Amino acid sequence: MAFDPAAIDRKWQARWEQDGLHKVSDDDPRPKWYEMTMYPYPSGDLHIGHWYAMAPADAHARFRRMQGYNVLHPIGFDAFGLPAENAAISRGIHPYEWTMGNIENMRRQLRSLGAIYDWDREVITCLPEYYRWNQWFFLRFFEKGLAYRAEAPVVWCPSCQTVLANEQVVNGTCERCGTEITRRDLEQWFFKITEYADRLLDFSGLEEWPEKILTMQQNWIGRSEGVEIAFDISAAGLEEKEIPTFTTRIDTLFGVTFIVLAPEHPLVPGLTTAENREAVDEYISKARQTSEIERLSADKEKTGVFTGSYAVNRLNGERVPVYIGDYVLTTYGTGAVMGVPAHDARDFIFARKYKLPIRIVIAPIEWDGKELSDAYLGDGFMTNSGAYDGMTNDEGKSAIAADLEKRGWGGRTVSYRMRDWLISRQRYWGTPIPMVYCDSCGVVPVPEADLPVLLPEDAAFKPTGESPLATNHDFVHTQCPKCGEDARRETDTMDTFMDSSWYMMRYLDPHNSDDPADAKLLKRWMTVDQYTGGAEHAVMHLLYSRFFTKGMHDMGLIDYDEPFLRLFNQGVILGADHEKMSKSRGNVVNPDDFVGQLGADAVRCFLMFIGPWDQGGPWSDVGINGTARWLNRVWEIAVRDADSLDDTPVDTDAVRDTNRLLHQTIRKCHNDLDRFKFNTAIASLMEFTNHLNRAWTDASVDTKTWRECTEKLLLLLAPMAPHMTEELWEKNGHPYSIHQQGFPTWDDDLAAEEVITLILQVNGKVRDKIEVSAGIEETEARALALASPRIQSYVAGKSVAKTVYVPGRLVNVVVK
RNA sequence: GCCGAAGUGGCGAAAUGGUAGACGCGCCGGUCUCAAAAACCGGUGGGGGUGACUCCGUGUCAGUUCGACUCUGACCUUCGGCACCA
């Protein structure tokens, strides 16, 4: 019976589909297990990276199903986004056609993987039945005050011709295309994610998220506690009488020798005196020209220019000069900082450059009173600080903050690095934002009954920097839902991260036309028990989705407030040259070639066998042969005629060994699959296979034991290699389907070793190994060790200081 | 610059205080064959020894311990994240 993997793949994929084996029922009495993998963008081709993300996830979901859970492991397509639009521009295909064609092809490829996807639950985000709920959620967020329109300096990608959210900027470049970003002042739609900053920092509702992701989210949110303190500028005769600044080091307030405003700060024109105007204007226009990357570079020279005005530090009445400098960011804090050169590295450099005084107000321990060669950032005693002198700087912090609050000059506050989520996009292929602009009523939401606002089929795709929808007159011209007069539609579309923020709900009820998802089904299935995907979404999708869930929770739409209970990040699959796969490197692996030749199971197993799943690693065209060979051997073993063996144990010890290994293998496999350690699970199955093969050759196994072992081997392997195990299950006369069987269980007593190898050491070095009974007593073990001739030869002439006994493992004789 | 993870045979890796290198690739030898491939069996960290054996060995250097790939400190390298955030 030759093993023909391709034929077996076809046979069972068709059978499972026909039988609806993977249809998931909502009423199943078993406990639910919702395991999701990040849905793919329909780029048109399922590459090995997709397989690496999906095959192990599927094996894990299958493992949970065999453990007795009602497992939902759905799939869908992240179908809005720029590549579709770019295809339209370069090839004249409509984004819809392009996307749906790709989905068609990818469905076929996804089926070849043999996963347990329930295709009735497929979600495609670019269809009105999906994106109408994006609009619906937008309106809910708007009503709740969590969606707002504001003018702000926003990030612009000159290549994508659209604004981006801060999270979508990587080192000053566009996350999608790598183009250096610029800034623009535009009126855009934002989601108030900053209002949830503190709750997003609370990870207590999560179980088993990688520490790395939590740290990244924490750093991204960048919470810092400090004080907002206002400096008096009433002398300048402006309407504004003060400059608010934010500091985390209010204890250094007496060390302030200047103020620096961001060049874009609104007070700059007012504070600039006539004789300084020319220099200030020149500086500002130069700052505008410097690129974002350059401006954000930390080691760039700190520059600035004096405005000619002074501000008063009201706590000590000192008058300090006001500068502008581009090391101060408009987007953080108040866009103005108090300059404390003695205790801030940046201010120190700035003060040196512009010959500003450097006054030490926190005395370093063992300070000799000399000038500093660098800013002193550590703790110490307050000095040169009036009434606060002699306090520790920690005490000074609270004392000064309290005094400022008392006098109304400032107060404790919290600043965040994270900005609100900018969701407008000046592109066509996305969800239209359901808003109308009316000359008399202002900004008016589209009534719920009028949803969805359909994305029109025809639009000019060429990006001009303005939304393509803006040139579509039929789309733009509408009536105000309030007064009925002529009005204009919003022509921007939504960030596609809107789609992925709630798609886990839609899988539960993908065709519901009354709600995003039925409340009973949400109750039944949410929260997602296990989510798997790449770590690159740490501060984008994963953060947005947590925010979105908390927002929905607060609106009473759902009763849970974290979307994903457990998260696992798989690593990245690399080319055989250990480099990232890319067309230009020519190291891209096409899974279809291997699937056709060796079968889906071999590809699945090899991907899991390469190494730990979270580590990723290099693909190997020859390495996969090892896995394929092994599956071949499993096949060959499982089709042997067990009746040709003796039906009574030939060698009871050998049979007991086989049985013990069976139970150990079940235990190992179970524990490893539970923790996504597929590589060692497969290794243990290989060992077991090798053992069975030897036992057959030695004729040291009886019919019954052989049958039990091969049956269990197939069950253990079923999550990883679903096709061939199903075929072999049938060949061995078991009832269809192997995938509806329980995962084997083990007996610790049967798995326990009877004989162990006791390691005998002298001074920690292995000198002898002896076989002893597992239940050996300590005194006996020690005696055996000292009696060993090999140990004695090392002990001879020395004195035994002590012996260390580790039960079941070793005896270490310490000699001097 | 700061934070985090990692560094083990020719290669992917295993072992999380107790036999370093399980399992697999590759390579070498063998069986089968006219021959080759496939398949199967055996060997395979390095040095020394005819051999029983023996010494060295988990990035480097110290330390803790009877015993360290594993724990601690410093350093080197690689990869990720953040990077004027006041």
Side-chain angles (χ1 to χ4, degrees):
Chain A
M1 266 174 286
F3 178 34
D4 180 354
I8 290 170
D9 286 356
R10 277 194 303 274
K11 170 181 169 184
W12 290 108
Q13 281 165 17
R15 174 81 187 272
W16 295 330
E17 183 144 350
Q18 180 197 316
D19 296 350
L21 190 71
H22 304 316
K23 296 279 166 269
V24 180
S25 160
D26 296 315
D27 307 317
D28 195 295
R30 292 174 296 176
K32 67 98 182 179
W33 182 266
Y34 190 178
E35 178 148 353
M36 254 177 93
T37 191
M38 291 179 188
Y39 64 174
Y41 179 81
S43 55
D45 203 31
L46 197 74
H47 54 77
I48 200 76
H50 288 118
W51 273 73
Y52 193 63
M54 291 167 176
D58 177 63
H60 189 262
R62 284 173 173 277
F63 168 63
R64 286 278 181 262
R65 194 165 73 170
M66 290 179 81
Q67 281 186 304
Y69 291 97
N70 181 30
V71 172
L72 174 58
H73 185 55
I75 193 75
F77 295 96
D78 185 15
F80 268 139
L82 273 178
E85 218 165 322
N86 293 337
I89 294 160
S90 62
R91 288 189 264 158
I93 315 167
H94 192 277
Y96 177 85
E97 304 297 334
W98 186 84
T99 305
M100 295 311 278
N102 285 350
I103 287 177
E104 195 55 41
N105 187 46
M106 282 179 84
R107 278 195 195 116
R108 184 185 56 75
Q109 291 179 302
L110 279 165
R111 284 191 164 96
S112 76
L113 197 143
I116 56 170
Y117 305 134
D118 176 351
W119 287 96
D120 290 351
R121 293 171 179 270
E122 179 195 51
V123 156
I124 299 175
T125 58
C126 68
L127 300 180
E129 64 171 33
Y130 187 85
Y131 71 69
R132 69 169 292 181
W133 299 109
N134 283 345
Q135 296 172 340
W136 185 87
F137 279 119
F138 185 95
L139 295 174
R140 294 287 86 74
F141 277 62
F142 178 72
E143 280 164 22
K144 195 76 187 167
L146 286 173
Y148 67 96
R149 190 170 165 79
E151 181 167 330
V154 295
V155 178
W156 177 263
C157 172
S159 163
C160 297
Q161 291 281 312
T162 179
V163 297
L164 302 173
N166 287 305
E167 288 78 10
Q168 290 148 38
V169 180
V170 178
N171 288 328
T173 64
C174 169
E175 178 257 334
R176 261 210 73 252
C177 66
T179 307
E180 184 170 347
I181 55 110
T182 58
R183 297 229 171 230
R184 285 191 174 187
D185 286 305
L186 288 173
E187 212 178 314
Q188 301 281 293
W189 285 100
F190 292 89
F191 274 173
K192 252 189 207 166
I193 191 170
T194 52
E195 194 160 289
Y196 282 76
D198 281 332
R199 283 176 56 195
L200 289 168
L201 282 170
D202 176 5
F203 302 118
S204 60
L206 304 175
E207 270 178 52
E208 292 175 47
W209 272 47
E211 208 51 48
K212 185 179 130 188
I213 301 288
L214 301 186
T215 309
M216 281 169 75
Q217 293 203 349
Q218 211 165 3
N219 292 342
W220 184 261
I221 294 167
R223 181 182 203 275
S224 46
E225 288 180 15
V227 168
E228 192 172 306
I229 173 176
F231 287 80
D232 183 9
I233 48 164
S234 48
L238 302 173
E239 204 176 312
E240 290 291 332
K241 301 293 178 212
E242 28 183 56
I243 304 173
T245 64
F246 174 77
T247 180
T248 54
R249 290 298 304 274
I250 196 64
D251 50 320
T252 64
L253 182 58
F254 283 74
V256 174
T257 55
F258 56 96
I259 301 285
V260 190
L261 307 181
E264 302 86 352
H265 196 287
L267 284 172
V268 170
L271 287 172
T272 305
T273 57
E275 57 270 29
N276 290 284
R277 186 155 314 274
E278 202 181 321
V280 168
D281 287 349
E282 196 190 324
Y283 185 84
I284 292 175
S285 73
K286 232 163 81 196
R288 284 235 175 87
Q289 280 162 30
T290 39
S291 77
E292 194 73 13
I293 292 180
E294 208 179 313
R295 205 178 147 176
L296 285 174
S297 154
D299 34 55
K300 196 193 123 209
E301 195 190 3
K302 312 235 168 325
T303 59
V305 57
F306 182 41
T307 60
S309 293
Y310 292 83
V312 173
N313 180 352
R314 288 187 280 211
L315 208 60
N316 61 5
E318 254 177 42
R319 203 165 150 265
V320 296
V322 178
Y323 278 70
I324 64 170
D326 67 0
Y327 77 94
V328 177
L329 308 175
T330 356
T331 47
Y332 184 77
T334 61
V337 302
M338 55 183 222
V340 187
H343 305 290
D344 181 280
R346 296 150 300 178
D347 296 345
F348 187 87
I349 296 167
F350 191 83
R352 275 265 178 98
K353 187 171 167 91
Y354 296 104
K355 310 266 184 303
L356 295 159
I358 297 171
R359 185 194 304 145
I360 293 162
V361 291
I362 308 294
I365 318 288
E366 297 175 28
W367 178 47
D368 54 9
K370 283 209 200 105
E371 266 186 44
L372 299 172
S373 59
D374 260 315
Y376 175 69
L377 309 177
D379 291 325
F381 289 100
M382 307 275 293
T383 184
N384 294 322
S385 297
Y388 307 98
D389 278 4
M391 292 182 182
T392 66
N393 66 306
D394 251 6
E395 291 162 351
K397 244 181 209 169
S398 15
I400 294 179
D403 289 345
L404 289 174
E405 277 166 1
K406 213 180 301 163
R407 304 197 204 197
W409 294 340
R412 278 170 264 232
T413 178
V414 178
S415 264
Y416 300 93
R417 211 188 73 108
M418 178 174 67
R419 312 258 51 91
D420 276 338
W421 175 15
L422 168 50
I423 72 149
S424 308
R425 292 294 179 275
Q426 288 71 45
R427 297 301 303 235
Y428 166 75
W429 193 233
T431 306
I433 294 173
M435 285 289 164
V436 169
Y437 301 99
C438 168
D439 286 337
S440 32
C441 308
V443 182
V444 183
V446 172
E448 205 180 310
D450 296 347
L451 297 184
V453 175
L454 286 173
L455 186 63
E457 273 179 43
D458 53 322
F461 299 127
K462 268 243 162 350
T464 57
E466 227 197 317
S467 298
L469 291 180
T471 57
N472 185 314
H473 288 263
D474 292 346
F475 177 81
V476 175
H477 292 295
T478 187
Q479 276 72 50
C480 171
K482 240 186 210 166
C483 67
E485 290 298 307
D486 280 354
R488 300 174 317 281
R489 278 193 197 282
E490 167 68 64
T491 54
D492 285 350
T493 52
M494 295 182 201
D495 182 2
T496 53
F497 281 111
M498 180 84 179
D499 308 336
S500 52
S501 288
W502 66 279
Y503 77 122
M504 63 299 248
M505 296 165 64
R506 193 63 179 174
Y507 281 135
L508 306 179
D509 202 5
H511 307 296
N512 192 330
S513 50
D514 302 321
D515 286 298
D518 182 80
K520 278 204 298 291
L521 294 174
L522 287 171
K523 191 132 196 112
R524 168 94 175 99
W525 286 103
M526 290 301 288
T527 293
V528 174
D529 296 282
Q530 181 71 59
Y531 197 33
T532 61
E536 67 275 13
H537 285 111
V539 294
M540 291 190 274
H541 161 54
L542 290 169
L543 193 61
Y544 295 145
S545 178
R546 289 185 64 218
F547 155 68
F548 211 89
T549 302
K550 287 173 192 301
M552 290 189 290
H553 173 266
D554 290 358
M555 289 174 221
L557 299 171
I558 52 179
D559 62 1
Y560 54 91
D561 84 334
E562 289 286 356
F564 310 116
L565 212 51
R566 297 178 193 82
L567 176 70
F568 190 94
N569 295 124
Q570 81 269 359
V572 179
I573 185 95
L574 304 171
D577 54 0
H578 294 220
E579 298 287 340
K580 208 178 150 194
M581 277 191 203
S582 71
K583 284 197 186 101
S584 59
R585 280 201 186 87
N587 60 354
V588 174
V589 172
N590 181 1
D592 293 355
D593 301 342
F594 293 93
V595 172
Q597 221 182 313
L598 303 171
D601 293 341
V603 178
R604 290 171 61 108
C605 287
F606 181 60
L607 289 170
M608 290 184 241
F609 184 63
I610 286 176
W613 196 29
D614 54 353
Q615 224 169 81
W619 171 267
S620 165
D621 286 352
V622 285
I624 190 173
N625 291 330
T627 324
R629 273 203 283 265
W630 169 57
L631 292 179
N632 235 311
R633 215 154 49 232
V634 171
W635 173 275
E636 198 267 318
I637 280 174
V639 296
R640 284 178 194 167
D641 180 12
D643 289 327
S644 69
L645 291 165
D646 271 309
D647 55 3
T648 51
V650 197
D651 175 343
T652 48
D653 277 353
V655 168
R656 198 158 50 235
D657 285 347
T658 297
N659 206 36
R660 179 182 306 113
L661 187 61
L662 168 65
H663 283 263
Q664 287 173 344
T665 304
I666 296 172
R667 180 170 61 192
K668 172 94 182 132
C669 223
H670 176 279
N671 291 341
D672 284 352
L673 290 182
D674 201 46
R675 294 173 300 146
F676 299 98
K677 301 192 75 171
F678 305 103
N679 57 328
T680 46
I682 289 177
S684 74
L685 289 175
M686 287 174 168
E687 283 182 76
F688 187 52
T689 311
N690 294 343
H691 176 90
L692 285 181
N693 208 24
R694 269 194 303 272
W696 177 279
T697 312
D698 302 347
S700 64
V701 61
D702 60 273
T703 306
K704 180 171 160 287
T705 308
W706 180 263
R707 283 228 167 90
E708 188 187 355
C709 285
T710 50
E711 179 188 329
K712 296 280 165 66
L713 174 63
L714 293 180
L715 289 167
L716 294 173
L717 180 55
M720 275 88 81
H723 306 88
M724 69 166 283
T725 50
E726 184 80 290
E727 176 74 16
L728 289 168
W729 190 252
E730 184 187 60
K731 277 199 182 321
N732 279 288
H734 297 296
Y736 176 80
S737 153
I738 191 172
H739 303 301
Q740 288 168 317
Q741 309 302 314
F743 200 77
T745 52
W746 72 94
D747 181 331
D748 276 325
D749 290 336
L750 291 175
E753 297 286 356
E754 287 164 37
V755 175
I756 54 155
T757 306
L758 191 70
I759 303 304
L760 306 183
Q761 299 182 330
V762 176
N763 288 349
K765 286 193 193 250
V766 180
R767 298 304 182 187
D768 201 1
K769 304 171 186 182
I770 53 173
E771 301 278 296
V772 299
S773 144
I776 191 169
E777 291 294 323
E778 178 166 356
T779 44
E780 196 193 345
R782 285 177 195 271
L784 280 172
L786 292 169
S788 153
R790 306 212 39 218
I791 294 299
Q792 279 175 351
S793 73
Y794 283 93
V795 173
K798 296 180 179 135
S799 69
V800 175
K802 65 170 170 176
T803 58
V804 179
Y805 175 63
V806 181
R809 296 220 91 119
L810 62 79
V811 178
N812 185 13
V813 181
V814 184
V815 298
K816 284 207 172 114

